[in-house]
Amino acid sequence: MFYTDPVVAHTVQQIIEFIGTFAFAISGIRQAAAKHFDWFGGFVCGIAVAIGGGTIRDVMLDQTPFWMTSPIYMICTMLAQVVVILFAHSLKRLENAWLTFDTLGLALFTIAGLQKTLVCGHPFWVAIIMGCITGAAGGVIRDVLLNNEPIIFQKEIYAMASVIGGLVYWLMIECDVNVSITAITTFLCICLIRFFAVKYHISLPILKSEDE
């Protein structure tokens, strides 16, 4: 059994999704600000990246999309926008602020996707895929709205960090490691992979066309 207490499972799920929503919303709004979008445009980008991946996951799992069960996710995105507006100069001085929040959102939503899929009774290979979709799909939607090349199609390691995190989660659960420790370890693993990949320019091999 993934969780013996469904109340605990639901509570942990909500906490992770709330923090992930806030982190992803800030990343989307920050990038919208860099494109000089107005406040409404920034909110749209923030909410798109915050709920996009989770919505796709829930539809595929035949569940009510998580953000439709409570207004807290919309409120969370509004708070993220207020933070970006009020502390724009402070965030600007943080050179990699958007990268940090984007990575935190990726890690948190990957874990949320893994946990929700397992609670629904699906096997681990499905959970890993759903974790990746939950973590990465919102970023794709954001990049499309901002007219940027989606980050998962670039050489940077992004979605693969989510997949590796899912494998770590699976191995630890198989070894009967405490769920809380497993979630924390998976979170750190995804963040470290992403940060080190960006810092040291680590990437997967690129495809070459036949005439190259």
Side-chain angles (χ1 to χ4, degrees), residues 121-151:
H122 293 281
F124 239 110
W125 66 270
V126 176
I128 292 173
I129 293 172
M130 288 299 171
C132 184
I133 289 174
T134 309
V140 174
I141 297 172
R142 173 202 61 209
D143 291 337
V144 170
L145 290 175
L146 292 170
N147 199 29
N148 294 330
E149 179 184 7
I151 194 168

Side-chain angles (χ1 to χ4, degrees), residues 56-97:
I56 295 173
R57 173 204 64 206
D58 288 344
V59 170
M60 294 180 72
L61 293 176
D62 197 26
Q63 300 286 310
T64 301
F66 70 102
W67 57 271
M68 296 176 65
T69 62
S70 170
I72 191 66
Y73 302 103
M74 294 294 175
I75 295 171
C76 182
T77 304
M78 292 177 186
L79 289 175
Q81 177 133 333
V82 170
V83 169
V84 173
I85 291 170
L86 295 180
F87 301 102
H89 294 294
S90 298
L91 290 174
K92 187 176 182 179
R93 286 196 291 269
L94 298 175
E95 183 179 352
N96 293 317

Side-chain angles (χ1 to χ4, degrees), residues 98-122:
W98 76 267
L99 170 66
T100 300
F101 287 113
D102 192 56
T103 300
L104 294 177
L106 174 68
L108 289 165
F109 270 159
T110 295
I111 295 169
L114 287 164
Q115 292 181 337
K116 189 163 191 176
T117 306
L118 292 173
V119 168
C120 289
H122 293 281

